[in-house]
Amino acid sequence: MAAEPMGYIEYVRVSVYFIVTLFLIIFLYSYAFSMWRRQKKGIHDYEKYGKLAVNDDLNDELIESRIKEKE
């Protein structure tokens, strides 16, 4: 009888691990897809953020202005 509860606990552990892993994979790919879609639509330009590692001096040009302009 002691073997059955351990088998059940192992089954629950594996099931939860699988579900959490599947959820994280779906979340990662949906986030990457949303970033790609925003880049294609022109909402955000993520390539300019890549230049931040090169242009990190205090006197360099800002990537985005802090004050949002009303359209």
Side-chain angles (χ1 to χ4, degrees):
M1 286 195 147
E4 282 188 39
M6 291 303 288
Y8 176 73
I9 292 172
E10 186 69 18
Y11 173 75
V12 169
R13 185 184 69 80
V14 169
S15 299
V16 168
Y17 177 79
F18 178 74
I19 290 169
V20 168
T21 303
L22 189 63
F23 172 76
L24 290 175
I25 289 171
I26 291 170
F27 177 77
L28 175 68
Y29 278 100
S30 64
Y31 182 68
F33 179 73
S34 71
M35 286 179 65
W36 175 78
R37 191 175 63 210
R38 286 184 205 153
Q39 178 82 21
K40 285 290 184 187
K41 287 184 177 180
I43 298 171
H44 282 289
D45 184 14
Y46 291 106
E47 290 184 16
K48 68 182 176 183
Y49 294 114
K51 297 176 186 175
L52 183 63
V54 177
N55 301 332
D56 62 346
D57 193 31
L58 288 175
N59 299 327
D60 286 338
E61 183 181 338
L62 293 177
I63 293 177
E64 289 182 349
S65 63
R66 289 185 166 196
I67 301 171
K68 298 287 183 179
E69 297 177 8
K70 292 186 179 184
E71 296 178 7

